Amino acid sequence: MAYQAKRSKKFTEDFELVNEEGRVEKTIHVELDADDVVRRINEKYIELMNTRNEIVDIKTDIESNKAMEDAFEKLGRATVNLFEAVFGTEDTGIIVDFYENRYLEMTKEVTPFITKVVIPRLREIAAENKRAVLESYNRKESKGLSGRKK
């Protein structure tokens, strides 16, 4: 019997854009490939949190509207970068268009999907993958080069 190497199933979560009447206008399928996506999303999420913290820290020091606009523009870019890490560039564009560039509403509605659904699910997938890899190296069943059990 030949050894078989199988591909694992892909994990996806669906994200629906629902209009004011409650009708689903678009369903976006978010692929959760734990190897690449976890790292990319964590980087962008940390960037977003750092940017948010910077704005909170400097908010009281801002003396001009221009400085405030720059700070919020930086936060907006970090938010879009996170969305692109999760949804991809094309689907992020669809989301931005759906919300008609109303970034506060978009952030309020979309970010919880990332923080409460995507990130916890990615952590579960990563833990499952780690457990599977460790089980494949179980010392009790491993054999040395001679073919004898250790």
Side-chain angles (χ1 to χ4, degrees):
M1 182 170 151
Y3 179 83
Q4 295 180 339
K6 294 186 277 183
R7 300 237 8 221
S8 57
K9 70 176 183 170
K10 291 189 178 192
F11 297 96
T12 60
E13 291 287 342
D14 288 341
F15 179 77
E16 296 179 339
L17 295 172
V18 180
N19 67 18
E20 295 87 358
E21 291 88 39
R23 192 177 74 245
V24 175
E25 287 197 14
K26 175 76 175 168
T27 300
I28 298 173
H29 306 289
V30 179
E31 289 191 21
L32 304 176
D33 175 6
D35 293 337
D36 182 41
V37 176
V38 171
R39 180 188 51 78
R40 194 172 67 233
I41 290 174
N42 278 337
E43 286 174 2
K44 299 303 179 183
Y45 185 70
I46 290 168
E47 175 186 324
L48 175 62
M49 291 299 99
N50 289 340
T51 302
R52 187 189 69 83
N53 290 339
E54 284 177 33
I55 289 173
V56 169
D57 291 344
I58 64 171
K59 192 174 182 182
T60 55
D61 298 335
I62 293 178
E63 296 177 8
S64 73
N65 286 338
K66 175 71 174 134
M68 181 67 89
E69 288 174 16
D70 290 346
F72 280 111
E73 183 178 324
K74 185 177 179 181
L75 183 61
R77 276 194 311 272
T79 301
V80 170
N81 287 341
L82 175 63
F83 288 4
E84 286 179 350
V86 173
F87 300 106
T89 305
E90 184 178 326
D91 286 335
T92 297
I94 290 169
I95 293 168
V96 170
D97 290 344
F98 177 80
Y99 282 100
E100 300 170 343
N101 295 320
R102 293 185 309 223
Y103 287 94
L104 290 177
E105 179 184 4
M106 181 179 71
T107 300
K108 184 181 116 192
E109 295 296 321
V110 178
T111 304
F113 170 74
I114 296 169
T115 59
K116 295 179 180 171
V117 176
V118 172
I119 292 175
R121 185 65 183 125
L122 287 173
R123 288 182 179 145
E124 288 174 17
I125 294 167
E128 289 171 19
N129 290 346
K130 181 180 177 181
R131 200 170 22 259
V133 168
L134 291 175
E135 286 175 6
S136 71
Y137 289 105
N138 187 346
R139 288 203 172 266
K140 291 180 182 178
E141 296 183 28
S142 67
K143 297 179 181 181
L145 294 175
S146 67
R148 296 182 188 155
K149 285 189 177 181
K150 289 184 177 182

